[in-house]
Amino acid sequence: MSNGRTGPEMRVAEVVGRVLHGHGARYVFGVVGSGNFHVTNALVAAGARFVAAAHEGGAASMADGYARTSGTVGVLSVHQGPGVTNALTGLTEAAKSRTPMLVLAPEATAPRSNFFIDLPSLAASVGADFHRVRATHAAEDTGAAYRAVARGATVVLGLPLEVQSAVTEPWVGPVPAVVSTPATAPQVEPLLAALQAARRPVFIAGRGARTARDPLIRLADACGALLAVSAAAKGLFAGDPWNLDVAGGFATPLTAELIGAADLVVAWGSTLNMWTTRHGELIPPSAVVVQVDHDPAAFGVNRPVDLAVAGEVTAVAEAVLDRLGQHVTGSVDGGWRTPELAQRIRDHGRWRTVPYQDEGGGSPARIDPRTLSAALDDLLPRDRTVVVDSGNFMGYPSMWLDVPDVAGFCFTQAFQSVGLGLASALGAAVARPDRLTVAAVGDGGFLMSATELVTAVRLALPLLVVIYDDAAYGAEVHHFGPDGHPLETVTFPDTDLAAIASGYGCDGVTVRTIDDLAPLRAWLAGPRTGPLVVDAKVCGTRGSWWLEEAFRGH
């Protein structure tokens, strides 16, 4: 449908939908009620596709996963009042992750209404921005909110019910051009000096560096740095021979050893939180620590830094490269980029190369989560998107399943909520239908979110759901169990989760041994016209390595 004038007047809800589509909104996730009925239909009429979720909480995670995987704005549409509060956990995860997500939130503005909530305060409490549409400036307000999202914010857009139905001037487009102010050249001389002085530099790239792969690799090559990432940026340096993968609690023994020997650590778009630094113990006290971020408020929020460089990551890296010229420092004269180290990274740079004692077996049999994850990595196509929920299990799919690039990994851990992974994977699958999407979840998170399997079946998505099923909330079992606390509240009878998935219309298979993966092989070889749920009965005799590390910091 054209964005041009179709009549002498237009309702505000229709203006909002048309403006959002004009700015680039192509998918909208949600649950429709009376309050968001007209604005959602306006988006669809303008050309967007609506993805109906079973629950607003799932819709919020779908919009989040879509935005992270596509690199574009995710749009969520919910009903007023309970529609907003049902979506709150997913909204909080998005805000804490700085996901570019726009929430269309109808407002009952009369305090006596049973639907009334203090929407601006609610948004502020979870770290989201708030904008409100006015009847007299509907197109202007909507466009401003969308541009704020595109700059990397999660925005709640208040749509008062009486305003949505108001008659206003029709929006005829086009989207006004955005005039950008030339950025101030970043001051990089102190960073340049630090890089030139370092013999053992390490780059740790975080969420804020997800689009800066090329300049960071070129700069690392020029100064002899090794490359690492926070978990949120896994895949950013995939394929580079000097890639150490994830720093922090997920780090391999070799990665921890090398970061522990660094004399310079440069955090690119990373705040070096407790997970990335193993509660501050990963980076040696003698190392110079530099933080590069576009947001000055991020400097030193988790640990002191010796040097802060304000600027967008790509711009800072390019500016340093310009000044560095052809001079190479850390790769020669005592630097640590040697053939011997390159061989060590090839041989020991992945968790799959670290020996372990398989703890599977028993009667009935249960499979070791490491053995399961290694087998999955071998079976699955290389072109994949891996989405990981929260729980004791989460290090195994995060570190055993390789991903092709940073868009191939979606890590829903900013709020550390169990139960967001499955719906986030649905959004990722919508964003990248050309890749196999793998949702790695625990049994607790699966049961919290299983209702969205209905959505997966409706969409006929070729989604693989792998449940690391230890019949418990494993993190709590391994946190409190060693001290003798009773565990009846966090352990459960074994449940046939594959049968539950089948009830929703999915194919389901139970896996207790490697041989039980045969149906997965057949599904991967076939047309994959719908989701497959693998209920992997994993052994839970001990906590995961990363959780043991985390508990030592508590």
Side-chain angles (χ1 to χ4, degrees):
M1 180 175 177
S2 169
N3 280 338
R5 182 187 298 268
T6 58
E9 59 186 29
M10 190 178 290
R11 303 289 179 180
V12 167
E14 187 177 358
V15 170
V16 172
R18 290 189 173 203
V19 170
L20 291 178
H21 184 267
H23 276 79
R26 294 298 178 265
Y27 283 88
V28 54
F29 302 83
V31 176
V32 169
S34 60
N36 64 327
F37 182 86
H38 294 297
V39 69
T40 305
N41 280 337
L43 262 165
V44 172
R49 179 183 176 187
F50 177 66
V51 178
H55 188 273
E56 290 93 348
S61 293
M62 290 179 207
D64 187 8
Y66 173 85
R68 298 188 198 207
T69 305
S70 67
T72 59
V73 171
V75 180
L76 169 66
S77 179
V78 294
H79 184 58
Q80 68 267 25
V84 177
T85 57
N86 282 347
L88 195 56
T89 300
L91 168 58
T92 305
E93 168 66 28
K96 290 182 179 290
S97 296
R98 292 181 285 179
T99 299
M101 188 166 91
L102 180 67
V103 182
L104 303 180
E107 285 188 277
T109 54
R112 295 176 66 89
S113 169
N114 63 306
F115 285 130
F116 174 79
I117 55 176
D118 186 349
L119 206 52
S121 296
L122 184 148
S125 72
V126 301
D129 293 349
F130 180 79
H131 291 236
R132 180 177 281 130
V133 169
R134 299 165 292 174
T136 53
H137 298 77
E140 176 186 340
D141 294 340
T142 304
Y146 194 93
R147 289 190 292 273
V149 173
R151 291 192 294 268
T154 297
V155 174
V156 175
L157 181 60
L159 300 171
L161 298 179
E162 66 277 11
V163 170
Q164 287 193 57
S165 60
V167 173
T168 186
E169 289 296 319
W171 185 72
V172 296
V175 175
V178 178
V179 180
S180 59
T181 303
T184 303
Q187 300 300 309
V188 299
E189 284 73 16
L191 172 57
L192 175 61
L195 289 169
Q196 290 175 321
R199 297 295 92 191
R200 298 180 306 281
V202 171
F203 290 176
I204 299 179
R207 194 188 318 274
R210 285 171 60 93
T211 60
R213 171 186 165 94
D214 178 65
L216 288 180
I217 286 179
R218 288 190 287 115
L219 182 57
D221 289 343
C223 65
L226 304 182
L227 296 162
V229 292
S230 70
K234 179 179 171 64
L236 180 62
F237 302 126
D240 190 274
W242 302 104
N243 176 30
L244 304 179
D245 208 358
V246 178
F250 286 174
T252 63
L254 178 61
T255 295
E257 172 195 331
L258 293 173
I259 295 176
D263 60 2
L264 172 67
V265 173
V266 185
W268 300 90
S270 168
T271 60
L272 297 175
N273 64 26
M274 62 181 182
W275 308 112
T276 305
T277 65
R278 290 190 173 180
H279 297 271
E281 297 179 359
L282 185 64
I283 298 173
S286 59
V288 174
V289 179
V290 181
Q291 187 178 353
V292 180
D293 204 288
H294 77 282
D295 182 7
F299 294 140
V301 294
N302 290 308
R303 56 151 296 152
V305 296
D306 300 294
L307 174 63
V309 181
E312 194 273 326
V313 166
T314 296
V316 172
E318 294 282 8
V320 176
L321 281 164
D322 288 343
R323 288 163 175 75
L324 193 61
Q326 301 302 312
H327 299 290
V328 178
T329 57
S331 59
V332 295
D333 298 333
W336 60 355
R337 278 199 177 192
T338 64
E340 294 76 17
L341 181 56
Q343 187 63 49
R344 287 190 70 199
I345 294 173
R346 285 194 294 272
D347 292 343
H348 306 293
R350 304 170 65 209
W351 270 107
R352 288 196 60 176
T353 63
V354 178
Y356 68 93
Q357 181 66 42
D358 191 300
E359 297 176 353
S363 182
R366 302 193 79 89
I367 191 170
D368 190 299
R370 296 163 292 189
T371 303
L372 169 70
S373 301
L376 291 172
D377 190 49
D378 290 338
L379 284 172
L380 302 179
R382 296 291 96 186
D383 219 12
R384 63 181 75 152
T385 304
V386 176
V387 184
V388 182
D389 203 347
S390 188
N392 174 65
F393 75 94
M394 69 186 198
Y396 302 116
S398 295
M399 298 310 298
W400 266 259
L401 301 184
D402 288 338
V403 293
D405 51 36
V406 71
F409 190 68
C410 182
F411 195 59
T412 61
Q413 299 302 319
F415 197 33
Q416 289 184 258
S417 172
V418 171
L420 305 185
L422 174 57
S424 297
L426 295 181
V430 170
R432 292 299 303 265
D434 57 315
R435 291 181 170 181
L436 174 65
T437 300
V438 182
V441 301
D443 50 307
F446 172 77
L447 289 170
M448 283 187 183
S449 58
T451 185
E452 293 303 344
L453 291 177
V454 169
T455 308
V457 171
R458 286 174 184 165
L459 297 174
L461 291 173
L463 176 73
L464 175 63
V465 182
V466 180
I467 309 169
Y468 287 72
D469 180 4
D470 61 358
Y473 286 124
E476 282 65 37
V477 167
H478 299 296
H479 191 176
F480 296 107
D483 294 327
H485 295 288
L487 299 175
E488 289 81 4
T489 56
V490 291
T491 54
F492 310 99
D494 199 8
T495 303
D496 189 348
L497 302 182
I500 291 174
S502 297
Y504 280 104
C506 303
D507 291 331
V509 60
T510 300
V511 171
R512 294 181 179 276
T513 69
I514 290 296
D515 291 340
D516 293 337
L517 289 171
L520 171 59
R521 293 186 180 91
W523 182 81
L524 290 170
R528 289 185 253 158
T529 56
L532 173 66
V533 176
V534 174
D535 179 10
K537 305 296 187 181
V538 298
C539 56
T541 52
R542 59 177 295 172
S544 58
W545 89 97
W546 72 268
L547 202 59
E548 293 175 349
E549 177 71 39
F551 288 162
R552 282 198 294 269
H554 285 185

